[in-house]
Amino acid sequence: MTTSRNLTSKQLPQATPWVIAVASIIVAIVIGFLIFGGFNIPVVAVLAGLINMVAVFALSASYEGRRKATDRVATTVVTSAFVLACVPLISLLWLTVSKGGAAINGDLLSRTMLGMKGILDQQYVAGEATLAGGFYHAIVGTVLITIAACVISIPIGVLTAIYLVEYAGKNRLGKAITFLVDVMTGIPSIVAGLFAFALFSTIANLVMPEAAGIAKTGFTAAVALSVLMIPIVVRNTEEILRLVPMDLREASYALGVPKWKTIVKIVLPTSVSGILSGITIAIARVIGETAPIMVTAGFAKNLNWNLFSGWMSTLPTYIYDSQLRPVSPGEAAIASSERAWAAALVLVALVMFLNLLARVIAKVLAPKTGR
Amino acid sequence: GGSATGEEISEGGNSDLQGTITGIGASSQKAAMDAWTADFASANSGMTVNYSPDGSGAGREQFLAGNAQFAGSDAHLDEEEVEASKEVCGPEGAFEYPVYISPIAVAFNVEGVDELNLSPSTIAKIFKGEISTWNDEAIKADNPDADLPDTKITAVHRSDDSGTTENFAEYLKATAEKDWDAEVSGNFPKEFGGEAAKGTDGVVQTISDTDGAIGYADASAVGSLGKAKVKVGEEFVELSPEAASKVVDASEQVEGRGEGDLAFDLARDTTESGAYPIVLVSYHLVCSSYKDQETVDMVKAWEKFVVSEEGQKSAAESAGSAPLSDDLRSQIETVIDSIKVEG
Amino acid sequence: MPTSTQTTASGPAGEPEPDSHPEPGKGQKPKAVVRPGDRIFSAATLIAGILILLILAGVALFLLAQSTETIKAQMDDPSSITGGKGFFSYVWPLIIGTLISSAIALLVATPFALGIALFTTHMAPRKLAPVLGYVIDLLAAIPSVVYGLWGIALAGNLTAFYLWLSKWFGWIPIFAADENGAVSQTGRTLLTASLVLSIMILPIITSLTREIFLQTPRLQEEAALALGATRWEMIRMSVLPFGKSGIASATMLGLGRALGETMAVAMILSPGLLTASLVVSGNQTIASEIAQNFPEAAGLRLSELITIGLVLFVITLLVNMGARAIVAKTSVKGS
Amino acid sequence: MSKQIDIKDLDIFYGDFRAVDGVGMQIKPRSVTALIGPSGCGKSTVLRTLNRMHEVIPGASVSGQVLMDGNDIYGAGVDPVNVRREVGMVFQRANPFPTMSIKENVLAGVRLNSKRISKSDADDLTERALRGANLWNEVKDRLSLPGSGLSGGQQQRLCIARAIAVEPEVLLMDEPCSALDPISTLAIEDLINDLKDQYTVVIVTHNMQQAARVSDRTAFFNIAGTGKPGKLIEFNDTSTIFSNPDKEETENYISGRFG
Amino acid sequence: MSKQIDIKDLDIFYGDFRAVDGVGMQIKPRSVTALIGPSGCGKSTVLRTLNRMHEVIPGASVSGQVLMDGNDIYGAGVDPVNVRREVGMVFQRANPFPTMSIKENVLAGVRLNSKRISKSDADDLTERALRGANLWNEVKDRLSLPGSGLSGGQQQRLCIARAIAVEPEVLLMDEPCSALDPISTLAIEDLINDLKDQYTVVIVTHNMQQAARVSDRTAFFNIAGTGKPGKLIEFNDTSTIFSNPDKEETENYISGRFG
Ligand SMILES: Nc1ncnc2c1ncn2[C@@H]1O[C@H](COP(=O)(O)OP(=O)(O)OP(=O)(O)O)[C@@H](O)[C@H]1O
Ligand SMILES: Nc1ncnc2c1ncn2[C@@H]1O[C@H](COP(=O)(O)OP(=O)(O)OP(=O)(O)O)[C@@H](O)[C@H]1O
Ligand SMILES: [Mg+2]
Ligand SMILES: [Mg+2]
Ligand SMILES: O=P([O-])([O-])[O-]
């Protein structure tokens, strides 16, 4: 038996981390001035972070001991990582919300770009008219193409993940699929678009050689997005399925439940929250794609409800086009930019809604661990 | 410009037409195309014209593959493409003619400098990185009266392959060959360094954001930035639509092309007084013949509207382009009239 | 009925294990009985898996087919390739740029993603955590264009920092100023692009790691705590080891996006010749090269661009192989 | 109807490792058979081969025969799912389905085998099974709450209820009472006594008094050392095993000061 | 040096649910105290409050005092980490660290405290702890294999080895033998006997004979019904509890036909 340890080891007062943090910032500003002769936010931030870290560790280590100090530093690091990561994230969201919020109105949501021309924007900028145009067609395009992409990717992705986790074991096909799915995540989005377009052009040429340009449809875009989406769905689902305890499967098998039913009724419901969250992130990932949509679905200004014929616009292509190729270049480009930000806001709201929906579904189906 | 008379509308607009025609191509025409399609659709409620501003290369590629009824292109077809067009467009191949003429501005953002005169060789040296401050002797020589700061020059070019770059480089090659020793292409020569930005908008924004920046961009997009006057002959010419049109009128047609081919070799090195030689001319490509009468009617109606006085005026208003001259228009109209059904 | 039987475990579609124990003459394998439901279901999953292989094969084939023109040109007349010095001297600066930007993005994003995931699962107040996770998920949805615009704005603010970096750390080649002693005036350097990429891949990595950290068995965490581990020690003993393979997967997902991201990089980066310094303008990534040149490309140029797409594809393949090898090597034997 | 199980020359492997060697025993219908022995001797392993549950473990394999009423459950054309429907199992560790309520857990076996069952039948069955597992009184007011919210012992009894709800012919129990308090254990033992009127019950237990109390026949397994396979040392009537075993090994194990 | 634990008027809640009500008891140093009672009566719950492990469960809270040698472990300024370092715990379910080898598992706690431990010290400690948990012989040849590859009983003993390797002052054991065979159980009981020379041991068990064998004092908990809180019914010397309890409730429970 070694020495007796004290229960109430010395502990820094609760406010200490905050005091140290504030002190570090002040010291950092001072040092910033002394050494670099000026106030530079990144320099001060980095400096403050380092000083804070060292100070927390030194103080805590001398007072509370090394382990506690490590814990404090780790907590500080993790928390600052979080806060620091939030800065760009919030700035991005804020940019979208503030710019989009200022521009958005019901008309933008209900009109298309049909009949839109630069002179109208010039009049708007000159204060002679209200903002014309809108992106109803792009909202419809986004929703349709995304749904179609989901209809293709989710079954393929989830089933593949099930194959990998439940059936493949360690066989070669399983390993090959796992590996290639990883590779698939690295396909540049434009290549996915070109592939889908080439595929459907070939098919269109075989089926209807006479018709020109029928390969560019919403469905082609959905296929392109699926190429991007499937690996994310597979990867996420696979990881989540592997976490389902073997116990549960055994319990089910022991009741004489066939494997497939065990998977459908026990394994999937247990992991549904994780799977849905993976699907949501996959949707979020592809719903913002620009390049593959432009090469596969063309660029429409009008409303098109038909996935299988005619061009379509989506919110990202709309945003891209409005920002980079304004209806009226020059001074009046600001009008296009306003529409673009409003569309970006709608896109984020759309994903937010999807995310919420997924969470609600997950909550209903997820394991009930509450006691 | 002229006024939109009833006659013109019925000429360009035939409200019996039903259907969709599709075009792919140059992004430079995008703003003009927005105006044309909007106006055309209001006169022809049964017709839709789609245009995807994917780029000139994509436009020509898709058009030659039969995936679009017409294309927009910042460059005319080369010999090979002319041959290829005969496969999709019948024995006479494709017709091409300019529809959109736009001056390219050399825009700058230098504090305290509102006006700037530049000679071709100075421009070339600036974009090559050989002149690196604003108070360089060469610039002073062009601007004896200006108060030039010693700000570092940030030369901004397009990072993407673009018609604007190609036209700009062609101009420098023609007027300052000694200094501009790179091959002309849509890609800015990387070895010349400088800052690059994507798209016209990216270039304009970068210039606006950076003190001491200079770049080239479609004139319609540069807004309130300073626009340099360029040396033509012995005088410095200010950018204007009229000045831009003048160059096209002074240019020769490309030789050895068919009847319907109105491709131009622009006279960049013109010394004609009042001509502004840094221009971009963007073409429309159509087939000499289509498979059915409906398409022929639709294409004819559409293209006629595009080149009509009304169409050109609308584009000038919305997109800031330079209208075609009456002379050129009548040439083009003859070409459009000769589009026919295959066989 | 055979007098003696021997069956192997693993699922219906699993490959039978090779006979692992010497019982010659004893074992005769009966046909595995598979219920129709199981057969249909396992066939469905197998088909889905094979479909993925087909898609990938399709993409690879497409890339290869479209690359033939470049390959031919490379053999017949290398000077016809962009840059005039053949395909390899055209592509290798792009490869370097791509690898550097992805590596930086990953190096920056992974610790932050882990930090966020840990914070939201093990440190944040319980009520707040899901909301935070939710907000971060949203960021995956912001379109590249918006990231691009934001990145351009960011770039402007970074110039002072880059100047400072080059002043104090210029002796490190990646922070060196150019021959005039200047750094990029616009801040649109590969470093900026990489930082924006890291923010773009953050939600992707975070989302999966968070789910995995949440699944750490309570028993494991309690085991550590009961030994007197501090929270951080508990995380190191239970949470991180448990999440290891998941973290690797998540990182690979992020890497995929970083390698393949086109539009944001295309908008932010001021591309140019390959340079070691990351604070002056220059360098280019494959995906961005494709995005910037694709619209005007035709014929051979188009084929070149698709060929570099193929190169990127191969890079992804190699990087993944490498990563897998490392993960396999470092993970504890067995378990 | 219960079944007789004949185990003939059964070897069990985990990959290359021979965990159990040459087991042969005859398990009578309508009886309780207890498997006892030191930890790691392969009791759980043998038990799992009786309903082919070992097949779930990658690499596990058997050679030899297990006959149920004369039919080899490892024979050609035998579906393990059918085997498991007739041979129920309760595990060492309680494993209720976390997504299901207490009631759904009890009905899981019935429901998942897609038997249509009317609401009143379901209620009856739930009550019957839960009463049988001595859990009814504790949970009757919270049948729709999640099963994972129960204490360890309660969860184990829930699993027993779930297993008996499908009315199997043979019931395998791997240390079913190891997490239970005496009152629950008593109830389970009573239940086992009731069950043996109709079913064949095989139970793994460390509690020798429990083996002595509930079983008709007892199998003693032992292991010579680590890495060696477990072996069946003696299989006999429980009374014989505990009063007058044939082998000295058995005697030594039994006469430990345990109870 | 071992510690005395005074529990004063302890109420334990899971959210709003009062799981345990008004427990007061004095646990003597250098003794073994057993907690017995029917399932769900709150034995595990009480045990976990002795090293603040209940704090891991969202919503769990206590009111009352737990004094260790007079210091309230819930007092201001007390760090639960310190508490847990002095109060080791072995759980109902074995929970070895799956990514660590057997040896690393044993050393896990020690490594936390003293980063630098010489290889020979580490080897010694590993052997000592594993011997103490009666696992040494079974695993000495595979110390570097993962701990999760062991059988249930072996895993549980590994966890005991891990807990005693850090030489705590108090050792809490929640049904540590419920998955063990008699031989291992014997070893653990011997170990507990050894430990009490130096440590304070608190053990939850369902095996009343075990309680009788190993403990000096026994606390009997009971629960009036579902949803009611568990209460301490009687706390006395083990001999008194088993031979001559004060309360009839205790008598009834003890005199069940269990052993
Ligand atoms: N999944 C497995 N893979 C490899 N070996 C295993 C596996 N499960 C068990 N074993 C080994 O097989 C032998 C028998 O294990 P088994 O679990 O059947 O013992 P047991 O008698 O049930 O022990 P306990 O009483 O501790 O539950 C042990 O040596 C064990 O290490
Ligand atoms: N995490 C929890 N949340 C809510 N209630 C709980 C939780 N853990 C236990 N309970 C409840 O508290 C009471 C006491 O549970 P506890 O696990 O302490 O019983 P126990 O005496 O250890 O039982 P067993 O012998 O079955 O382990 C039970 O009614 C149980 O349902
Ligand atoms: Mg066992
Ligand atoms: Mg308990
Ligand atoms: O019109 P651009 O080709 O320069 O984009």
Side-chain angles (χ1 to χ4, degrees), chain D residues 152, chain E residues 43-44 92 174-175 204:
Chain E
K43 304 178 296 293
S44 301
Q92 206 161 355
D174 194 344
E175 304 181 33
V204 170

Side-chain angles (χ1 to χ4, degrees), chain C residues 261-306:
Chain C
E261 173 55 37
T262 43
M263 217 49 98
V265 180
M267 285 172 70
I268 295 164
L269 183 63
S270 160
L273 296 176
L274 184 71
T275 55
S277 174
L278 301 178
V279 295
V280 305
S281 59
N283 298 320
Q284 172 72 309
T285 72
I286 292 181
S288 158
E289 174 85 1
I290 298 177
Q292 285 175 336
N293 294 288
F294 176 73
E296 297 296 328
L300 176 60
R301 181 75 181 123
L302 186 61
S303 167
E304 276 173 29
L305 292 178
I306 292 181

Side-chain angles (χ1 to χ4, degrees), chain D residues 180-207:
Chain D
L180 299 193
D181 65 298
I183 294 174
S184 301
T185 305
L186 171 59
I188 301 294
E189 288 182 8
D190 284 349
L191 175 72
I192 294 173
N193 257 321
D194 293 351
L195 289 173
K196 85 169 169 194
D197 293 347
Q198 281 194 295
Y199 307 129
T200 310
V201 179
V202 185
I203 178 169
V204 170
T205 178
H206 279 126
N207 186 328

Side-chain angles (χ1 to χ4, degrees), chain D residues 14 17 19-20 37-46 57-58 92 174-175 204 206 223 227-228, chain E residues 142 149-154 157 179-181:
Chain D
Y14 288 112
F17 171 58
V20 175
S39 183
C41 67
K43 304 179 296 294
S44 301
T45 304
V46 168
I57 299 164
Q92 206 161 353
D174 193 343
E175 302 181 34
V204 170
H206 279 126
I223 183 169
K228 301 267 163 58
Chain E
R142 41 172 169 166
L150 300 174
S151 82
Q154 290 164 335
R157 282 179 279 153
L180 299 193
D181 65 297

Side-chain angles (χ1 to χ4, degrees), chain B residues 161-196:
Chain B
D161 193 340
S162 83
T164 311
T165 301
E166 186 160 10
N167 280 287
F168 182 66
E170 221 172 81
Y171 159 74
L172 291 177
K173 188 82 177 172
T175 53
E177 200 182 349
K178 275 207 306 312
D179 298 304
W180 198 256
D181 46 6
E183 224 171 289
V184 172
S185 93
N187 278 308
F188 190 87
K190 274 187 185 156
E191 60 274 20
F192 288 177
E195 285 286 324

Side-chain angles (χ1 to χ4, degrees), chain C residues 126 218-231 233 236-238 241-242 332-335, chain E residues 48 53 56-58 81 84-85 87-89 91 93 95-99 108-109 112 144 146 148 162:
Chain C
R126 285 201 169 89
R218 163 87 59 71
L219 279 173
Q220 295 301 326
E221 299 185 7
E222 290 185 347
L225 290 175
L227 287 174
T230 60
R231 180 167 55 191
E233 286 160 351
R236 266 195 21 220
M237 287 168 87
S238 307
F242 177 80
V332 174
K333 38 300 161 183
S335 81
Chain E
R48 290 169 75 98
M53 277 303 290
V56 174
I57 299 164
V81 170
R84 292 180 197 139
R85 256 183 247 166
V87 186
M89 186 160 192
F91 294 82
R93 283 184 177 188
N95 51 3
F97 296 117
T99 51
L112 290 179
S144 58
S148 49
R162 183 176 64 188

